[in-house]
Amino acid sequence: MNYKFLYILIYFLINRYLWSAPGDLNPNFGTYGSISVANELISSCTVQPDDKIVSVGTLNSNVDKIVVSRFTANGSVDTSFNSSGSYIFNTPTVTQAGGITLQTDNKILVCGSALQTQNDFFVARLTTAGTLDTTFNTTGFNTTSIGSGAQANAIKTQSTGDIIVGGTSIFGSPRFTLARYTTAGALDATFGTAGIARTNIAINDVLEDIAI
């Protein structure tokens, strides 16, 4: 018997299974327990019912663009998602990522900011296959003029299917800002004032997340 090999095997098993503690990186996920995406700043992620992981981030190239990526449960790139594992928003020209969530039909909703004449709220929907869903506002996305310096950071759906986007806009000073969209992707004028609600709590308010 090769006792040296047996000793190495036992040593490995002890390190792998007995000495690992709750909260340790799982070496079976991605590369040594983590995923690294080149030139991408991931801002948020969510998990599908099949345990696949969908992330949204900002692709830092010559021009910032929102990118949505999907990974398998073990952290590998899911090439069944838009054939490459990612979808990059090339329209509008400059976009920065905020939040991500899933609808009940598992279509993917993302939000962020779009640089038009000023920063606007940006919300978009992708199909489960990772393509732009053109049943959403006919273009697959909606840009909403909120005020200077607008940045959408969070997105959730209500029980009705309506979409709430939360972030910050400058209206004299930075304020908590919410906008509501219909399931078809249009700004819901019955919400707040013409679809937008602002709250001035203190100086330099920054809304990071919302819950429903």
Side-chain angles (χ1 to χ4, degrees), residues 17 54 97 110 142 159 172 174 180 182 184 192 206:
Y17 295 105
V54 190
V110 298
N142 192 334
S159 59
R180 186 165 76 183
T182 67
V206 178

Side-chain angles (χ1 to χ4, degrees), residues 13-34:
L13 291 174
I14 290 173
N15 276 275
R16 172 66 179 84
Y17 295 105
L18 298 183
W19 290 354
S20 60
D24 285 352
L25 288 175
N26 184 346
N28 296 319
F29 178 79
T31 303
Y32 302 111
S34 65

Side-chain angles (χ1 to χ4, degrees), residues 57-58 64-66 94-98 111-115 119 122 151-152:
T58 303
D64 287 348
K65 296 180 184 297
I66 292 176
V94 183
T95 51
Q96 291 183 325
C111 71
S113 65
L115 180 59
N119 276 17
F122 173 85
Q151 170 66 43

Side-chain angles (χ1 to χ4, degrees), residues 155-170:
I155 185 167
K156 295 289 189 295
T157 57
Q158 295 181 303
S159 59
T160 57
D162 288 336
I163 301 156
I164 302 293
V165 175
T168 302
S169 64
I170 297 175

Side-chain angles (χ1 to χ4, degrees), residues 2-78:
N2 188 334
Y3 289 100
K4 182 177 181 181
F5 172 78
L6 182 60
Y7 172 79
I8 293 172
L9 178 60
I10 293 172
Y11 180 81
F12 169 78
L13 291 174
I14 290 173
N15 276 275
R16 172 66 179 84
Y17 295 105
L18 298 183
W19 290 354
S20 60
D24 285 352
L25 288 175
N26 184 346
N28 296 319
F29 178 79
T31 303
Y32 302 111
S34 65
I35 301 171
S36 178
V37 183
N39 301 318
E40 182 182 341
L41 178 62
I42 294 176
S43 60
S44 187
C45 65
T46 190
V47 179
Q48 296 182 168
D50 61 0
D51 286 337
K52 288 184 177 181
I53 303 156
V54 190
S55 70
V56 64
T58 303
L59 185 64
N60 299 124
S61 54
N62 292 331
V63 177
D64 287 348
K65 296 180 184 297
I66 292 176
V67 56
V68 179
S69 302
R70 191 166 71 188
F71 305 88
T72 64
N74 66 6
S76 302
V77 173
D78 180 10

Side-chain angles (χ1 to χ4, degrees), residues 49-144:
D50 61 0
D51 286 337
K52 288 184 177 181
I53 303 156
V54 190
S55 70
V56 64
T58 303
L59 185 64
N60 299 124
S61 54
N62 292 331
V63 177
D64 287 348
K65 296 180 184 297
I66 292 176
V67 56
V68 179
S69 302
R70 191 166 71 188
F71 305 88
T72 64
N74 66 6
S76 302
V77 173
D78 180 10
T79 54
S80 70
F81 187 78
N82 197 36
S83 75
S84 63
S86 297
Y87 180 89
I88 299 172
F89 287 91
N90 290 308
T91 305
T93 304
V94 183
T95 51
Q96 291 183 325
I100 188 170
T101 194
L102 299 177
Q103 294 187 161
T104 55
D105 60 2
N106 291 324
K107 287 185 177 180
I108 301 161
L109 292 166
V110 298
C111 71
S113 65
L115 180 59
Q116 311 273 22
T117 54
Q118 58 186 6
N119 276 17
D120 295 339
F121 269 21
F122 173 85
V123 58
R125 187 165 70 198
L126 300 180
T127 67
T128 56
T131 59
L132 198 61
D133 181 6
T134 54
T135 67
F136 187 82
N137 199 41
T138 71
T139 58
F141 64 88
N142 192 334
T143 57
T144 305

